[in-house]
Structures are given as C-alpha cells and as structure tokens.
Amino acid sequence: MVKIIKKDYPWTVIIEDKVSKKTGKKYQSIGIGFTEKNAQATCDAEKYKTTWLNLFDEDDLLKGASTFENVYQRLKFERDKEREANKQASQNQPAPVQQLQNAYSDLDDDIPFA
C-alpha cells in the first residue's frame, strides 16, 4: 500500500491507498492541504489551521499542476507587458513593433488521459 507525504509550507500533499471500512474495497485518497497561521490562536494547538481539498483521481494532480503552471506563466506575461509599457511611457518613446506580444495564448499543455 502506497503512502506518500510531501510538505512544502504552506502546502502538504498526501497520497495513500486505503481500504473502505464499509465495503472493504481499496481506493486511493489524495489530500491537498493549505496551512495558514491563526492570528487569534489561544494555544499552540490552534496556532496553524489547515484546509484540505480531497481528490480521488491521480489525473487531477496533473490537471492542477498544469493549471497552476499556466496561470503563473500568464501572470508573468502580463507583469512583463505592464513593466514594458511603463518603461516606454516614462521614456516617452513609441512602443517598438514586435517587442512584446499583444496577446497571451495559453500553453498547449493538454495532457492525454487514458
């Protein structure tokens, strides 16, 4: 039976094979946790709060990773575009042609799932 735990604050991912108590069938559990510091904590046990998202299909890990990567790349593109526009405006120069793309196209990162 597999049990994998990966922690990288504030994220925790736990993948484990389990057996249903009701039916006795094996299944895979994937838990994604996001931990936040609790400013109103009154004791050490309440210092951190973790919110869990539970998945059952390992393909969802790939879809999530792909989505996060794509959004990060888009954010970088938009920030670079803003920085370049501000730079051009401060120098009072016309924007050079073909310096930066005018539109962002999502990466073609379609993952073929069986």
Side-chain angles (χ1 to χ4, degrees), residues 9-65:
Y9 182 82
W11 298 99
T12 302
V13 178
I14 300 174
I15 301 173
E16 103 183 271
D17 291 336
K18 294 184 172 186
V19 177
S20 171
K21 293 177 183 176
K22 290 182 180 181
T23 64
K25 291 184 180 180
K26 291 183 181 180
Y27 69 97
Q28 177 177 269
S29 172
I30 301 171
I32 300 173
F34 181 77
T35 302
E36 300 174 273
K37 203 166 193 176
N38 183 359
Q40 287 81 31
T42 56
C43 63
D44 285 343
E46 297 174 356
K47 193 172 181 178
Y48 294 95
K49 176 189 172 207
T50 302
T51 303
W52 289 94
L53 171 66
N54 296 308
L55 310 172
F56 295 97
D57 189 349
E58 61 195 49
D59 291 346
D60 290 338
L61 287 173
L62 288 174
K63 290 177 186 177

Side-chain angles (χ1 to χ4, degrees), residues 43-87:
C43 63
D44 285 343
E46 297 174 356
K47 193 172 181 178
Y48 294 95
K49 176 189 172 207
T50 302
T51 303
W52 289 94
L53 171 66
N54 296 308
L55 310 172
F56 295 97
D57 189 349
E58 61 195 49
D59 291 346
D60 290 338
L61 287 173
L62 288 174
K63 290 177 186 177
S66 173
T67 300
F68 289 154
E69 174 71 17
N70 196 296
V71 168
Y72 175 78
Q73 293 299 333
R74 182 161 189 166
L75 176 64
K76 293 275 297 161
F77 171 81
E78 294 295 335
R79 294 289 188 241
D80 290 345
K81 193 166 76 170
E82 286 175 2
R83 213 173 354 269
E84 188 63 31
N86 290 338
K87 184 178 174 183

